Each structure stands twice: as C-alpha cells, then as structure tokens.
Amino acid sequence: MTATSFNSIQMQQTALTSATQPLALKQGQVFHGTVKQLFPDQMAEIQVGNQKLIAKLEVPLKAGDAHFFQVTGANPQTELKVVTGPMAQTTSPTQQLNQLLESMNLPKTTEMQQVLAHFMKAQIPISKEQLLQAEMWLKALPEGISKADALLALQKMVELKMPMTNDVFQALVSGQKTAGMSATMDAFAQLLAKDTVIAASLKQNLMQQVQTIAKPFDVETGSLMLAKSIQLLTNDASSISERLQALNILKDASVLPQQATLQNWSTLIANNTKPLQSNAGHQAGQIIQAILTAKPENTTQLIEQLKSWTAGQNLLTNEQKQQLNQIIDRFSQLPPSKQALEVFAKQMQEQLIKAFAQNTPERLFTQDSNGLSTKDQLLSLFRHELARPVQNEALMRNLVKVGIESPQPMIQQMLTQADAHVQSSMDSKAMEHALKTVLKSLGISYEATLANKSADLQTIAHQLKPQLHTLLQEAQITPQLKEAAEMLMTRMNGMQLASGESGHQHQLIMQVPLEFFGKKMDATLQWNGRMKDDGKIDANFARILFYLQMESMKETVIDMQVQNRVVTVTVFNENFDIIPLAEPLKAALKIGLAEKEYQLSGVFIKQFEKAKPEKISTVVEQQEGHSGVDYRI
C-alpha cells in the first residue's frame, strides 16, 4: 500500500521535529555539514540540514566545503573534528558513505550502509556506538518487520534521545504495525487458559480482562438477559417453571443471593446504603433506602427530593415518570407514619424495577447523568451492597457465561434473542462504547492514570497491562506464557512510544483488537493534530487514519483530513463493490458532522496503489502555503 501508509504521517512528524527542534549535539556523534562562514580562532558556522550552529574546528577549513564531522566536545562550546576530507558537489552519496565507513572504521555490511544512508539523508547526528547497535538490530529483525519500519524506529530513538535498548526498539517497531494485535492477544489467551502454574486469582483476573476485550458487548447481552429474567419474575402471567428458571439463572450468576425465592427476591433491599442526600445523584436502590430510613416528620423534604430525582432520570420515559409522580402524590396525601413509608417504598420499588427492565432494550448504550445504566439501576434495587458499575459489568458477563452453560431451552432462547437484539442495535454509540470498553480494559496508559489523584485505583488494578506487569514478575511462570505476555506488553508499550508531541504537533496511536459477534478485526487509529497556545487540541485541523483488518473487506484504510473544519474522507480498499454500499451512508455522515459544526467536503473510495520497491528513506515535502497537518507524500 502506497496511497497512504502508517509510515507516511510518522515521516511527516519526523520532518516537523527536525525543523522545529534546535540541534542538540552530544560527544561522539557524527553528522554531515557544510562550512558556511569562517570566524577568527578557528570558529565556523556549520549548516546541518536546515539548521546552523557555531562550533570550533580542530583544523582550518575552507568555506563552502562539505564534510562529515564528529563532535569531540559539547561544553562549554561545541568542538568538531573532521572525519572526511572536503566533498565536491559531484561526489555521489555512495562515495560519501564509503568514505565515512573507512574513516570511522565501520563494517561495510549492507545493514550498516542502509543505516548510515538513512541518517545521512535525514541529516540527523548519530554516534558510532548507535550505528553499530542499529546494524545489529537490522540484521535480526523480527518476522513481519520491514527495514523501512526499523529505520524509522531507530530514527525516532535517536531524535528523541530514547535509551538504545532492545526493549525500546522492539516496542517502537511493534507500535508501528497495523495488524496482528488480535493474533497476539489470542496466542496469550490460549496459553493462559491452559496454564496450571500461576496463582488462581491472577489467572482469573487476567482471563476476565481478556474476555472483556474479546467480547465487548457481553455486558449488554447480560443486561438484556437480566431485564428479561426480571420481566418473567414480575409477570403474573408467567408460568411457575419460567419464573423458577429465571430466578435460578440469576442466583447461579450471583446476581441474586442464594436465599432468594419467588416470594422474597424483590424485597431483598440494600440495607447498608446511605440515605438520600439533597442535590445528590443516586442509584434507584438508594431512593428506596432513603424512603425506608426517613422519619415521618421529614416526608415533605423527602417528597421534594424524590420528585427532583425522578424528573432528572433520563433512563425513564415521560409516562413512567408520571406514574411515579402519581405514587408520590398519593403518598403525600396520607398521614405520615412508618407503616405508610414502608408501603410507599414497596410501591416505588416495584414500579422502578418494571420500568428499568422494560427500558433496557431501547437504552442499551445510554447512561444517566451519574454514569449509570438501566442494569446498574436494576441491580441496585435488589442487591445487598451498593455496587459500582464495574462490579455490575462483571456480574453481567457472568450471567452470559451461566446462560451459555445452561442446558435449559428457555435460557438458550433468551440468550439467542439477547444476542440478536444487540446486533440489531449496533450504531455509532455502540461502536464508541466498544472502543472505550476495549481501551479501558487494555489499560495502555495506566501509568499516566496513576498520576491522577481522582483515579479509581481498584479499577485500574484490574486492567490488563498492570496485571501483565504482575504476571511477568511471577517466579512460577512457563517460558511460553512469559514470551506471549512480553509480546503483548511490547505491543502496548509501542503505542505509547509511537505517540508523542513535537512543539505544537501531536500524534496519538492506538491499536485495538476487536471482535464483534464472531468476526475479529484489528483496528489502528493514528491521529495527528496541533495544539493551540492554550495547550488545548485545535479541533479545526487534524488528520486521522484508521487501519482496519476485517474478515470480509480485508485491509481497509480510512484517511480523514480536517482543514478549517472541512472534512474530506478517502476510503482505500481493493473491492469497488463497496461503492454502492457506501452511498446511502454519506447523508448520515454529513448530518452527523454538521451537528458537530463540521462540513463534509466529500467521500472518495479508491483502490490501493501498487506496492513499490521498498526504499531506505522517504522524502516528505510540505505543501507550500498550506495550513494544518496535511502533506504531499
């Protein structure tokens, strides 16, 4: 693929870095430069690429000559020695390169020539030790890594002064890959499932996160099963058999306590939750608890709080809110007493359970102002503890697992219908939800999250990356599992190393293994934009590339360019049959962008250009008079 590639934006980033960052030389580095002016005391102005520096020379030189220089001192002033003699304009790059190899006593291997040629053309200073290390890595590249990718990674290491270690190099070349994340995850998951050595608790936590990443919609499937089970339990028309099966699956999945029966399940109200506080958002279970713990003389204040909570609950329909308000109004007309409060709590609980269960199918990917979903509200109404959403999600996945293992035809049918409903509900919100779920579960940036004082440390600890750290520190770990874990860790570290900033320019890379209803795909997002003077992202200019590896459409790249809030989208795919399929989606895209105050310029579908022979270096030229982050490649 040459139309648009993962390396292209990185090369642009490199060009920007070289142009905007001052030249910082270290002792031992070698670079190609031209003597522009001579000054007394053997001082000279040296041109290096598009930058200039003042340095002291060991021997007098002639203005206009080009040489390879080596840094012999950096403090208090830069001191240079000449490595090669003056090079005429007619001297070819190959001749220059061979002259430098001989002068520095470097091996004349193909790899050394490629490394030197790349850094010579990029005008980036590099030391002899770095050259030798780079040559060694280039000779032993992992399968699937091209030399062009490796040279780009090496350039980034030298430019950003990263440690010249194998771990950093492997992470960077892995971070540039746009495929294979799913395969890496699968290999780790298979070895983990078979492992009998590591601690059971660690294995269970790891398996849970792997499952979360592999099945991002299991929570929604479980939510539908929860809602259906509750509807069966609350429907007097359901048979005893149906109600018992619904009750048992909820008990088997630990959604309901083992002592729950058809008669008492709905009365197992949380007994350790805090009373409702004024102007505070709460789970529905806390609403019921607030009623039960209220003093009869405080009913006026309680009624105001209940009406306020009901009015602000966007997971309820207007009709359901009216029904709740009718119950509240009837209660307000009764003489205040403890008995009246208990009856009122039971009526409110029954109404809320039915309402949230009924609304779950239509509000699968919706949350209220407190970040709670219908399942969170439902569970709060009959569970003993005030659970956090992350704990409720684990319960929903467990409910799906129990459903899959159940021999009961009714449960199997419930599961099939739930899966089908989730598939039919797929929209932009669902895709956003899936991406957020997978990224959160991977925990790629958990180190940065730890610095946030408001971070939920318990949630962070359950993410995959910190658990991989724990796994790799285990003394009892098989070599095969350790290798798979290290490979997965390397991929995640690579994303962080490949992301970064240079002046106002910002780059973000994310690789996400996705699986939707048995279909696996690798998705890589590469975002390039710029920062405004106030440190915030400039939403007017950006370039975003999506690299997708899909079972049916195969390799697909979406190149989205934003200039002054005008959006142009180009889709690269080998199959032109997708053109009629894309046509009806353009109108929805145009409307969606307009809602965010963007204008759609056009959507273009192209085939990939034929692959060209791999080159050692790529020249990137900025379009003249063009703002933003667009470049001609």
Side-chain angles (χ1 to χ4, degrees):
M1 181 183 69
T2 58
T4 180
S5 68
F6 193 64
N7 285 346
S8 63
I9 284 188
Q10 291 204 340
M11 283 293 189
Q12 295 166 15
Q13 188 79 2
T14 297
L16 288 165
T17 302
S18 301
T20 58
Q21 289 188 348
L23 194 65
L25 297 174
K26 294 174 67 176
Q27 190 160 337
Q29 287 181 325
V30 177
F31 62 91
H32 182 266
T34 303
V35 180
K36 303 302 290 183
Q37 290 189 62
L38 296 173
F39 302 108
D41 196 25
Q42 293 185 203
M43 299 296 291
E45 180 185 85
I46 311 292
Q47 177 91 30
V48 184
N50 57 5
Q51 297 190 45
K52 295 178 181 179
L53 64 99
I54 303 296
K56 184 173 184 177
L57 305 176
E58 286 189 351
V59 294
L61 296 177
K62 189 174 70 176
D65 282 347
H67 300 263
F68 277 104
F69 298 94
Q70 187 169 31
V71 182
T72 56
N75 287 308
Q77 63 184 7
T78 303
E79 296 181 2
L80 305 175
K81 82 171 181 179
V82 178
V83 180
T84 62
M87 295 178 179
Q89 294 288 334
T90 55
T91 306
S92 69
T94 303
Q95 290 172 319
Q96 294 180 24
L97 192 143
N98 286 330
Q99 191 175 343
L100 179 60
L101 290 171
E102 289 175 4
S103 301
M104 294 187 68
N105 195 26
L106 290 167
K108 293 184 179 180
T109 61
T110 303
E111 289 78 16
M112 179 60 78
Q113 291 174 354
Q114 289 173 342
V115 173
L116 202 50
H118 179 87
F119 280 88
M120 188 171 74
K121 187 157 191 173
Q123 295 284 345
I124 297 171
I126 184 171
S127 69
K128 181 177 180 178
E129 292 73 19
Q130 288 172 325
L131 285 168
L132 291 170
Q133 183 66 72
E135 180 211 23
M136 185 180 74
W137 285 333
L138 217 59
K139 283 181 175 178
L141 286 179
E143 187 178 349
I145 301 296
S146 68
K147 287 186 176 179
D149 288 341
L151 288 168
L152 192 63
L154 288 165
Q155 180 176 334
K156 188 156 194 166
M157 291 174 74
V158 172
E159 279 193 307
L160 300 183
K161 301 177 181 62
M162 294 180 179
M164 290 292 286
T165 66
N166 189 53
D167 286 344
V168 173
F169 175 69
Q170 296 296 343
L172 273 175
V173 292
S174 295
Q176 293 170 174
K177 293 171 71 174
T178 59
M181 187 69 170
S182 292
T184 304
M185 184 72 73
D186 284 346
F188 172 73
Q190 289 173 16
L191 287 168
L192 180 64
K194 296 176 185 175
D195 188 89
T196 57
V197 178
I198 63 172
S201 59
L202 177 59
K203 180 177 178 178
Q204 183 181 353
N205 289 337
L206 280 164
M207 289 295 294
Q208 183 176 318
Q209 286 307 309
V210 168
Q211 186 68 12
T212 301
I213 293 163
K215 308 285 185 183
F217 295 117
D218 265 8
V219 170
E220 284 62 45
T221 303
S223 298
L224 289 168
M225 292 183 69
L226 171 69
K228 181 63 177 177
S229 299
I230 288 173
Q231 285 177 324
L232 286 171
L233 285 171
T234 55
N235 186 0
D236 293 334
S238 302
S239 68
I240 294 292
S241 173
E242 289 175 331
R243 294 171 70 190
L244 275 173
Q245 287 186 59
L247 179 71
N248 287 332
I249 191 173
L250 293 178
K251 288 167 66 174
D252 291 343
S254 301
V255 174
L256 286 176
Q258 291 303 308
Q259 66 267 32
T261 65
L262 290 177
Q263 289 73 35
N264 73 1
W265 72 269
S266 64
T267 61
L268 298 174
I269 297 172
N271 53 18
N272 62 346
T273 54
K274 296 178 181 178
L276 186 65
Q277 301 295 322
S278 178
N279 300 322
H282 285 268
Q283 296 182 358
Q286 290 176 292
I287 298 295
I288 306 304
Q289 186 68 14
I291 298 171
L292 289 171
T293 57
K295 295 178 180 179
E297 58 268 27
N298 294 334
T299 53
T300 303
Q301 182 186 3
L302 175 67
I303 287 168
E304 290 178 2
Q305 292 171 351
L306 293 177
K307 286 201 169 187
S308 174
W309 180 88
T310 303
Q313 182 48 256
N314 66 306
L315 296 176
L316 297 172
T317 65
N318 288 333
E319 183 182 351
Q320 289 165 344
K321 290 179 182 181
Q322 288 175 6
Q323 292 169 346
L324 288 168
N325 281 325
Q326 286 173 5
I327 296 173
I328 295 170
D329 289 338
R330 284 200 301 269
F331 167 71
S332 67
Q333 295 169 9
L334 297 173
S337 69
K338 200 66 180 172
Q339 185 179 7
L341 284 165
E342 288 176 0
V343 173
F344 176 46
K346 190 173 188 305
Q347 290 174 340
M348 287 288 288
Q349 185 200 21
E350 289 175 353
Q351 188 62 37
L352 286 169
I353 286 175
K354 288 180 181 179
F356 287 124
Q358 180 184 335
N359 294 352
T360 295
E362 299 305 317
R363 287 168 167 76
L364 268 184
F365 302 101
T366 305
Q367 294 180 334
D368 64 16
S369 58
N370 299 302
L372 301 173
S373 64
T374 54
K375 73 171 183 306
D376 297 321
Q377 299 290 13
L378 275 173
L379 291 170
S380 74
L381 286 163
F382 49 83
R383 280 186 63 79
H384 281 290
E385 71 280 0
L386 181 63
R388 297 179 305 151
V390 67
Q391 294 168 320
N392 291 342
E393 289 174 5
L395 280 173
M396 294 303 95
R397 292 191 188 92
N398 196 34
L399 185 55
V400 173
K401 179 176 179 291
V402 172
I404 292 171
E405 296 170 352
S406 172
Q408 299 295 335
M410 189 196 87
I411 302 300
Q412 289 299 315
Q413 184 182 6
M414 187 191 299
L415 183 62
T416 302
Q417 290 173 346
D419 268 335
H421 186 88
V422 173
Q423 289 192 46
S424 66
S425 302
M426 291 294 290
D427 58 9
S428 59
K429 274 189 177 180
M431 291 302 298
E432 179 188 3
H433 165 83
L435 283 168
K436 284 183 175 178
T437 298
V438 173
L439 286 170
K440 184 173 73 172
S441 299
L442 285 170
I444 294 165
S445 303
Y446 93 98
E447 297 96 338
T449 311
L450 288 174
N452 186 349
K453 292 181 180 178
S454 61
D456 187 339
L457 297 180
Q458 189 175 348
T459 300
I460 294 171
H462 280 83
Q463 294 173 342
L464 182 60
K465 190 176 180 184
Q467 289 193 73
L468 284 175
H469 275 298
T470 304
L471 176 64
L472 291 171
Q473 291 168 4
E474 286 276 306
Q476 302 296 324
I477 180 174
T478 62
Q480 295 84 358
L481 183 60
K482 184 176 182 180
E483 183 181 354
E486 286 175 341
M487 190 173 294
L488 188 54
M489 182 74 81
T490 297
R491 290 299 294 258
M492 288 194 274
N493 287 338
M495 295 182 221
Q496 289 176 286
L497 290 173
S499 302
E501 58 183 292
S502 172
H504 289 291
Q505 295 296 321
H506 227 79
Q507 176 168 275
L508 177 67
I509 293 171
M510 292 184 291
Q511 297 174 353
V512 188
L514 296 174
E515 183 175 339
F516 299 140
F517 315 111
K519 299 284 187 181
K520 294 183 179 181
M521 63 178 283
D522 279 315
T524 300
L525 181 150
Q526 184 177 359
W527 174 88
N528 260 60
R530 64 188 190 187
M531 308 298 285
K532 295 187 289 187
D533 291 336
D534 61 3
K536 294 181 180 179
I537 290 173
D538 188 345
N540 298 319
F541 300 93
R543 185 178 182 186
I544 306 170
L545 283 92
F546 298 90
Y547 302 82
L548 308 173
Q549 300 286 341
M550 298 181 284
E551 286 192 15
S552 300
M553 289 179 62
K554 307 303 180 186
E555 183 181 18
T556 304
V557 175
I558 302 169
D559 185 356
M560 172 178 159
Q561 302 192 42
V562 184
Q563 295 290 330
N564 283 320
R565 302 190 80 84
V566 176
V567 178
T568 304
V569 178
T570 305
V571 180
F572 293 90
N573 190 276
E574 288 300 315
N575 188 358
F576 272 162
D577 293 342
I578 66 172
I579 294 178
L581 299 175
E583 198 60 38
L585 301 175
K586 292 181 182 178
L589 177 62
K590 188 172 185 177
I591 293 169
L593 286 170
E595 289 175 355
K596 302 294 184 182
E597 299 180 3
Y598 287 92
Q599 178 187 343
L600 180 63
S601 170
V603 178
F604 307 96
I605 296 176
K606 300 180 181 180
Q607 288 184 319
F608 295 121
E609 293 181 14
K610 298 299 179 185
K612 296 177 182 177
E614 184 180 298
K615 295 182 179 179
I616 297 306
S617 60
T618 305
V619 178
V620 180
E621 176 189 355
Q622 184 172 1
Q623 291 185 17
E624 293 180 6
H626 204 67
S627 62
V629 291
D630 247 339
Y631 290 81
R632 185 188 304 119
I633 302 169

